[in-house]
Amino acid sequence: MNNSEIKSDFKTMIKSEFEKLQNSLNGSSGSEINLARKDEFSSFFVKGIPTIKFENWKYTNLTFLNKLDLKVQDGSEDVSDINIKELYYSEVDSHKIVLVNGIYSKELSDFFEVDGLDLEIINTTSSTDLGKYSSYYGKLTHNSGHPFAEINTALSKSVLVIEIKENKVVDKPIQIINITDASKHGVFTNPRILVICKKSSSCKIIETNYTVGNNPGVKNIVKEIFLEENANLNYYKIQDDTEYSHTFDYTQAYQLRDSHFDEAAVSLNGKFIRNDLRTILDSENIESHYYGIFIGSNSDLIDNHTFVDHAKPNCYSNENYRGILFDKSTGVFNGKIMVRPDAQKTNAYQSNKNVLLSPYAVINTKPELEIYADDVKCSHGATSGALDENSKFYLQTRGIGEKQAEILLLNAFAAEVIGEIKIEKLRNLVLSRIEDKLNMVYN
Amino acid sequence: MALLKIDNLKANINGNEILHGLNLTVNPGEVHAIMGPNGSGKSTLASVLAGKEEFEVTDGYVEFSGKNLLEMSPEDRAREGLFLAFQYPVEIPGVSNANFIKTSVNEIRKYRGLESLDAMDFLQLMRERSKLVEIEQSFLTRSVNEGFSGGEKKRNEIFQMAMLEPKLAIMDETDSGLDIDALKVVSKGVNKLRNSENGFVVITHYQRLLNYIVPDYVHILFEGKIVKTGGKELALELEEKGYDWVKDHINEL
């Protein structure tokens, strides 16, 4: 038997990669970073890859991971083929930071001194101490219980830190361009990002994702986001990737008094997307808004798991997710809202509307409210169904063909969420990509 | 050639026959009013002509400008020049009136082998036609019918009619629920659009509308058939004697 033909399963691959990493560490193996790495690895290893028997993974079958031929990859030797100017969302006027397989590429980035912003790249295999970032890094993912966040902490070798300084308003959006280079072989990557918004700062971040090459790319990205007092952050995550892309995205935010956090997840293209978005509202007068639009075709799976954790009184949260599902695609929305005993006068709202355009398309939507305070306003609603026949007929009686009528209605359905994107250029690009996608599916 | 020729039309919904063999001919330049009590089949007739799927045509023939209407999709009927002003116009959130009407105008132009109107020409046409029904420009940027009052919705229907210039317009109870001012605006719009080449079928429950849109013919629809046809004076007679008179009249026959 030829040994090279035996594919190891995913869990074994993670284990051997973890051991390889441990063996390569010299002086830093006893560092705080590495202790966390070991903890998170063992926490993962005990559970293994979640099966559909895990409540949080009930509708999201991960057995495909064992079928893909993957290598854990950090960075890429050759990025000369990549020109970020040609990337679709590059048109948005922004400071551009490029990560290739999770590693910062100075060569590809278009980023110079930005007033009010510190950009740091920390190599977590050689550093023994995170210095001023030690009170941030890993503090939110610690005890997440999330297997992929654990894998990321165990294996990631570099952290991109974006710190927005006190009272500073960043002049234009920051664009984080995640490139997954799968041109030579299938890859599993672990990008890691830490965003710190200091007191009264304000910033907009766009995250775009591209997979290069025709081999499977599995990206396991983890973001920790801190919003200190009165800080303001808009984070727009654009998942408009290729059919070879598979994404695990774990985003954990922590908010303090008077802060405002907007997250929009625009999932347009990709074979597999699992987003976990969690926020702890840990002081008063905080606002959190989550928006999402997902469009599935073929056999795509798009899963959004959200968790809004109201820990203190007088805060506001709102979630609005919309799904459009064609062919044999599957959508999952699970929205957990926790209102802890202290969190009186909480306003928490959630809505998930879905349009199914094929008898084989599936949506699994579930609100999960846990309310332990008695003076709160919470609401949730979920709908799923076909397009409204009366609306379609009305358009047809005005000479608009059936397909065109459906495209018009679906564009409008999506546009209500896209309207929340506060960067006009980005908003228009997204709208036109949605239109392209709908035209493609219909023709 | 007649604009519309309906011959022995029978139609079902959910297995119940609503139209029991209806005949009607509309020539260019004519306005026909169809009156009848609730449940007589007025709105069914409008829906069948516009091509709504729930209605099944079991017998009869409808010719529109020399073509077999019942074989056409709803959009092709519109492209051939048929227009239905809805009794209950549909609200479409997220689609602006302007974008909707522009798509509509250009789809119809495409079907007829004409080039799309450019943005400037389109804007000018919209401005001109919106005056006909006294609608403000802000109306055009709002989502189609969303949050519109009853009167605004009906004016929007007539505005669309003015933009699309149909050969034949069917107005399904456009007057129901309108106050007198809105009724005057809507009627004025229709009267300005009337010419020697187009035709109107005005479906109504009340005679009042016909003071403003004066018909050439009045038909009484009862239990899925046209039971009486006359001039505009028939509407007055009906108003005076009520629909019971129709019932008795039927029994006499």
Side-chain angles (χ1 to χ4, degrees):
Chain A
M1 191 192 282
N2 185 344
N3 275 338
S4 66
E5 282 176 6
I6 299 174
K7 255 187 267 172
S8 68
D9 72 4
F10 189 78
K11 187 181 170 187
T12 311
M13 177 184 77
I14 300 299
K15 180 169 181 274
S16 73
E17 195 64 25
F18 176 73
E19 283 163 355
K20 202 165 91 191
L21 175 65
Q22 288 301 314
N23 292 334
S24 73
L25 297 172
N26 294 321
S28 60
S29 63
S31 70
E32 202 185 328
I33 305 169
N34 201 49
L35 291 177
R37 198 176 261 142
K38 285 176 174 169
D39 272 358
E40 301 278 310
F41 174 75
S42 34
S43 175
F44 157 71
F45 199 73
V46 173
K47 295 187 290 261
I49 300 298
T51 66
I52 52 171
K53 288 180 183 151
F54 286 56
E55 186 60 29
N56 282 334
W57 300 87
K58 207 169 162 181
Y59 305 107
T60 304
N61 191 327
L62 299 178
T63 50
F64 72 88
L65 285 171
N66 290 327
K67 292 175 192 146
L68 298 177
D69 201 355
L70 301 173
K71 278 187 192 165
V72 176
Q73 189 79 29
D74 304 282
S76 172
E77 306 89 63
D78 185 12
V79 292
S80 56
D81 285 351
I82 302 167
N83 180 357
I84 64 159
K85 289 202 177 72
E86 291 169 3
L87 300 177
Y88 189 75
Y89 295 96
S90 285
E91 279 181 53
V92 183
D93 186 22
S94 52
H95 302 291
K96 297 182 183 76
I97 301 167
V98 179
L99 300 181
V100 180
N101 292 339
I103 304 295
Y104 175 66
S105 166
K106 193 172 190 330
E107 189 186 341
L108 292 178
S109 296
D110 178 13
F111 189 92
F112 303 96
E113 199 116 313
V114 176
D115 182 42
L117 191 146
D118 271 349
L119 179 71
E120 295 261 0
I121 312 297
I122 301 174
N123 179 329
T124 51
T125 59
S126 61
S127 309
T128 53
D129 181 10
L130 289 163
K132 64 172 177 171
Y133 300 119
S134 60
S135 54
Y136 297 99
Y137 177 78
K139 292 295 174 275
L140 298 179
T141 50
H142 179 58
N143 285 337
S144 70
H146 189 285
F148 287 87
E150 288 163 351
I151 292 174
N152 181 289
T153 306
L155 297 186
S156 74
K157 295 179 178 149
S158 175
V159 187
L160 168 73
V161 184
I162 295 171
E163 179 181 334
I164 300 110
K165 294 181 180 167
E166 215 172 291
N167 293 319
K168 292 291 184 182
V169 177
V170 180
D171 60 344
K172 54 184 180 185
I174 314 295
Q175 183 168 177
I176 302 170
I177 301 175
N178 272 311
I179 293 174
T180 304
D181 182 1
S183 51
K184 297 206 174 59
H185 51 77
V187 296
F188 178 71
T189 70
N190 291 280
R192 180 82 179 208
I193 297 170
L194 172 60
V195 179
I196 303 165
C197 305
K198 292 289 209 180
K199 187 175 166 186
S200 298
S201 66
S202 179
C203 183
K204 291 184 175 73
I205 298 178
I206 302 164
E207 178 200 310
T208 53
N209 294 282
Y210 303 90
T211 295
V212 180
N214 295 346
N215 297 297
V218 180
K219 177 173 75 253
N220 178 32
I221 186 168
V222 168
K223 288 162 268 180
E224 289 176 282
I225 298 174
F226 290 85
L227 283 92
E228 300 194 345
E229 206 179 314
N230 202 34
N232 197 325
L233 176 67
N234 295 66
Y235 197 103
Y236 303 117
K237 178 163 71 194
I238 313 296
Q239 297 171 319
D240 184 3
D241 208 330
T242 72
E243 63 191 288
Y244 299 98
S245 70
H246 304 71
T247 302
F248 293 90
D249 179 299
Y250 181 89
T251 303
Q252 169 86 60
Y254 179 82
Q255 290 184 255
L256 288 178
R257 191 179 188 89
D258 305 325
S259 63
H260 186 128
F261 177 48
D262 269 24
E263 214 259 16
V266 178
S267 310
L268 303 185
N269 287 294
K271 181 106 191 77
F272 171 93
I273 296 171
R274 162 67 180 236
N275 293 319
D276 282 88
L277 173 60
R278 304 180 181 182
T279 305
I280 302 168
L281 293 77
D282 204 15
S283 186
E284 294 197 41
N285 194 33
I286 292 168
E287 275 195 41
S288 306
H289 297 256
Y290 294 179
Y291 305 104
I293 178 82
F294 48 96
I295 306 182
S297 57
N298 304 317
S299 58
D300 298 345
L301 184 143
I302 305 149
D303 176 350
N304 280 288
H305 264 67
T306 65
F307 181 11
V308 181
D309 188 348
H310 283 271
K312 296 283 156 61
N314 296 310
C315 294
Y316 176 96
S317 68
N318 187 26
E319 296 176 69
N320 185 4
Y321 283 79
R322 291 191 171 194
I324 298 173
L325 297 164
F326 293 98
D327 308 331
K328 293 179 176 170
S329 63
T330 302
V332 181
F333 176 77
N334 189 101
K336 181 169 175 177
I337 298 174
M338 169 81 83
V339 182
R340 296 188 188 268
D342 274 355
Q344 297 295 356
K345 305 279 181 196
T346 289
N347 283 305
Y349 306 102
Q350 182 187 94
S351 157
N352 171 229
K353 294 184 181 170
N354 304 287
V355 182
L356 301 173
L357 292 130
S358 138
Y360 306 107
V362 175
I363 178 74
N364 299 292
T365 176
K366 190 175 105 195
E368 211 183 314
L369 275 64
E370 285 185 40
I371 300 171
Y372 300 102
D374 52 17
D375 185 13
V376 302
K377 279 185 202 154
C378 291
S379 74
H380 63 89
T383 59
S384 61
L387 275 175
D388 180 44
E389 286 297 324
N390 287 328
S391 304
K392 222 168 87 178
F393 180 65
Y394 189 67
L395 295 173
Q396 286 178 272
T397 63
R398 300 307 182 246
I400 299 171
E402 193 177 357
K403 272 187 195 174
Q404 193 67 30
E406 290 195 3
I407 291 174
L408 200 64
L409 292 171
L410 291 172
N411 266 316
F413 177 76
E416 284 199 54
V417 174
I418 302 306
E420 302 293 345
I421 295 179
K422 304 286 193 312
I423 302 164
E424 190 187 359
K425 182 74 199 174
L426 179 65
R427 191 169 61 235
N428 292 336
L429 287 174
V430 167
L431 286 173
S432 107
R433 286 291 285 179
I434 290 177
E435 198 160 351
D436 289 352
K437 165 112 191 182
L438 294 176
N439 279 314
M440 196 192 73
V441 174
Y442 275 93
N443 292 308
Chain B
M1 184 175 56
L3 266 180
L4 180 73
K5 198 166 183 310
I6 303 176
D7 184 20
N8 189 36
L9 182 64
K10 294 183 181 174
N12 285 354
I13 186 162
N14 302 327
N16 299 322
E17 190 171 278
I18 309 286
L19 299 180
H20 306 295
L22 187 141
N23 298 298
L24 178 70
T25 300
V26 180
N27 291 306
E30 292 176 354
V31 174
H32 292 245
I34 296 183
M35 301 186 71
N38 290 327
S40 58
K42 301 193 299 290
S43 286
T44 298
L45 174 63
S47 295
V48 168
L49 294 179
K52 202 161 172 46
E53 260 182 21
E54 291 95 304
F55 296 90
E56 190 199 351
V57 175
T58 52
D59 200 6
Y61 185 77
V62 180
E63 195 176 280
F64 177 60
S65 276
K67 293 186 180 165
N68 183 346
L69 184 77
L70 300 176
E71 277 186 350
M72 292 182 216
S73 65
E75 54 267 36
D76 281 349
R77 297 178 194 202
R79 292 162 180 170
E80 288 286 343
L82 183 81
F83 183 91
L84 170 65
F86 279 60
Q87 182 179 4
Y88 304 111
V90 181
E91 299 194 8
I92 306 180
V95 179
S96 77
N97 240 336
N99 185 25
F100 163 55
I101 294 164
K102 190 176 177 188
T103 309
S104 168
V105 167
N106 284 332
E107 286 279 299
I108 290 174
R109 290 180 67 90
K110 193 163 85 185
Y111 181 82
R112 296 177 186 166
L114 300 167
E115 273 182 34
S116 290
L117 280 186
D118 68 33
M120 288 305 287
D121 290 345
F122 180 74
L123 265 177
Q124 188 169 351
L125 185 68
M126 274 214 307
R127 259 192 222 116
E128 184 195 305
R129 299 293 154 91
S130 60
K131 281 183 198 143
L132 269 181
V133 278
E134 300 175 18
I135 60 178
E136 289 165 23
Q137 295 299 306
S138 65
F139 193 87
L140 301 169
T141 57
R142 287 164 67 186
S143 289
V144 178
N145 294 327
E146 194 187 29
F148 284 25
S149 69
E152 282 177 322
K153 283 181 182 169
K154 297 298 172 76
R155 276 193 281 159
N156 198 16
E157 295 294 287
I158 307 306
F159 169 60
Q160 291 168 35
M161 187 196 289
M163 289 295 291
L164 302 182
E165 296 175 335
K167 286 187 213 159
L168 179 75
I170 301 158
M171 297 169 61
D172 187 8
E173 300 206 25
T174 302
D175 56 323
S176 294
L178 284 193
D179 64 47
I180 192 72
D181 294 328
L183 187 70
K184 281 180 183 167
V185 171
V186 163
S187 308
K188 200 178 88 188
V190 172
N191 287 328
K192 282 191 185 158
L193 294 169
R194 276 175 87 160
N195 61 42
S196 60
E197 279 163 21
N198 60 20
F200 290 82
V201 174
V202 180
I203 294 172
T204 180
H205 190 76
Y206 307 104
Q207 182 274 334
R208 187 180 67 168
L209 173 70
L210 306 179
N211 293 335
Y212 301 95
I213 301 172
V214 180
D216 301 297
Y217 299 94
V218 173
H219 309 275
I220 297 174
L221 184 65
F222 188 73
E223 290 183 347
K225 273 184 171 177
I226 287 175
V227 293
K228 196 168 170 61
T229 294
K232 62 184 180 208
E233 64 290 344
L234 178 60
L236 290 168
E237 195 177 355
L238 187 65
E239 179 85 354
E240 192 189 313
K241 296 181 176 165
Y243 284 113
D244 283 342
W245 165 68
V246 180
K247 261 185 220 168
D248 299 341
H249 182 83
I250 300 281
N251 292 337
E252 278 167 29
L253 285 174

